[in-house]
Amino acid sequence: MSRLRLGMIGAGAWSVASHLPRLQLHRDRVEFVAVNRRDPEMAESVRSRFGFASAHTHYEGVLEADPDIVVVASPVRWHHEQARAALEAGAHVLVEKPFTLHPDEARDLVATAAAMDRHLLIALGWHYKDIVIRAKELMDSDGGVGDVEHVSIVMSSTTREALAGRQPSFAADQTAGEIVGAEQVPELTPRPETLTDPAISGGGYAQAQLSHALGLGLWLTGLRGAEVFAMMSAPQDTAVEFHDSLSVRFTSGAIGSVSGVSAHLAVNAGKHYLVLQVIGSDGQLTVDLNREMLIRYRVGEGELTIPLAPGAGAYDCGGPIDALVALASGAHIANNSPGELGVRTVEIIEAAYRSAGSGRVEAVA
């Protein structure tokens, strides 16, 4: 079988630090044909470093190389346009999160993927980790926790400096709290506006990080948002928010609370704090990625604690890349981060920003 032809759109810091090294592990199955970055020097630097056949300052050049798989890792403002074009060009597509800015864009991508019979994935790395896969099995087997009544999600991660425009390089040792300048590691230093300009990012912490946490909660429960009340805080008078507090009512009648906190660099050894608790009519599920605990309680059965290996809750984005390559190769494996999940996530986040602006409960679009 010939190798899959890879195109990369938006080869910024995250893709260079994470996606491309993971794709290199598939060199026997993947040919690096074209890469895009707006800065021509950076585009050429990434091309030569990873062995792409060509580099382009416009994403159309990547699609002209006829790729079989495309990773869209540009700022979210351009995800819809670029991912749609890649799907229509016949590629299977992995989109970095957040998925899109607006729900109608997300729905359009799902419809386009279906019409083109292409796989569409989102870069939600935890969904391919054993702790989360086991949690999904516990929710889906033996009646799970019954009818979901309440969901609590609390996330804290080290994005404070990035959202303030003092962007740390992904190559920096986050446990030391070091800020690395573009002159030191240019390939791995994102443009600050990627996160700090709401016209490009769509917002702050809710876009950059809660898209992870909401995606996890919605995947485990299958819930869909109906209405949202949100408060957001920008304590340093930044253009985007640092902290989020959401109250959500779901279409099923369940309710939930979602809290997002932009922590200081080097807090918790650079590790994410993410805890999710699902309360149901017949029990409850606790997923603690920080302490690496997975517990289900069922009425009449008591608690079941799942043994986990050290590091089970640590984040990496290898799973979505592996799944993209496998699915595009014809393997019959699960897509744990499908576009449809992105639709439900974007619906809630978009309504949250409207609510924070209006001061009212806002219906999901």
Side-chain angles (χ1 to χ4, degrees), residues 153-160 163 204-206 208-210 213 233 235 241-246 258-265 267 271-274:
I153 301 172
V154 180
M155 183 176 191
S156 176
S157 49
T158 57
T159 53
R160 188 181 186 91
L163 294 174
Y205 194 86
Q209 295 291 282
L210 274 190
S233 172
E241 90 282 359
F242 281 14
H243 312 303
D244 304 279
S245 181
L246 281 57
V258 184
S259 177
V261 180
S262 182
H264 294 270
L265 196 65
V267 167
K271 188 177 180 182
H272 295 83
Y273 179 95
L274 178 51

Side-chain angles (χ1 to χ4, degrees), residues 197-218:
D197 183 350
I200 294 174
S201 65
Y205 194 86
Q207 292 284 21
Q209 295 291 282
L210 274 190
S211 49
H212 268 304
L214 269 171
L216 176 60
L218 298 179

Side-chain angles (χ1 to χ4, degrees), residues 67-248:
D68 300 301
I69 56 175
V70 169
V71 176
V72 176
S74 54
V76 63
R77 174 180 172 180
W78 293 285
H79 283 184
H80 173 246
E81 174 188 346
Q82 295 170 348
R84 192 179 203 277
L87 289 166
E88 291 180 330
H92 303 281
V93 177
L94 171 66
V95 182
E96 184 53 81
K97 43 66 54 190
F99 189 41
T100 63
L101 283 178
H102 306 293
D104 58 343
E105 295 176 335
R107 297 186 194 108
D108 181 65
L109 289 184
V110 172
T112 302
M116 298 299 300
D117 193 24
R118 299 290 90 180
H119 294 290
L120 176 61
L121 300 81
I122 307 170
L124 296 170
W126 272 307
H127 294 215
Y128 298 85
K129 304 281 287 189
D130 183 61
I131 183 173
V132 173
I133 292 173
R134 295 296 301 276
K136 179 66 170 169
E137 292 171 351
L138 289 174
M139 286 295 294
D140 292 347
S141 65
D142 304 322
V145 297
D147 296 330
V148 175
E149 299 171 350
H150 187 276
V151 180
S152 171
I153 301 172
V154 180
M155 183 176 191
S156 176
S157 49
T158 57
T159 53
R160 188 181 186 91
E161 289 79 6
L163 294 174
R166 298 186 298 118
Q167 177 65 266
S169 165
F170 286 107
D173 179 3
Q174 293 206 20
T175 63
E178 180 184 5
I179 303 291
V180 176
E183 70 281 358
Q184 295 171 265
V185 195
E187 293 170 344
L188 294 172
T189 305
R191 293 171 179 265
E193 65 266 25
T194 298
L195 293 176
T196 61
D197 183 350
I200 294 174
S201 65
Y205 194 86
Q207 292 284 21
Q209 295 291 282
L210 274 190
S211 49
H212 268 304
L214 269 171
L216 176 60
L218 298 179
W219 188 58
L220 292 178
T221 62
L223 294 173
R224 186 169 210 146
E227 54 185 12
V228 182
F229 178 75
M231 291 187 289
M232 298 181 177
S233 172
Q236 294 185 10
D237 197 28
T238 50
V240 297
E241 90 282 359
F242 281 14
H243 312 303
D244 304 279
S245 181
L246 281 57
S247 294
V248 184

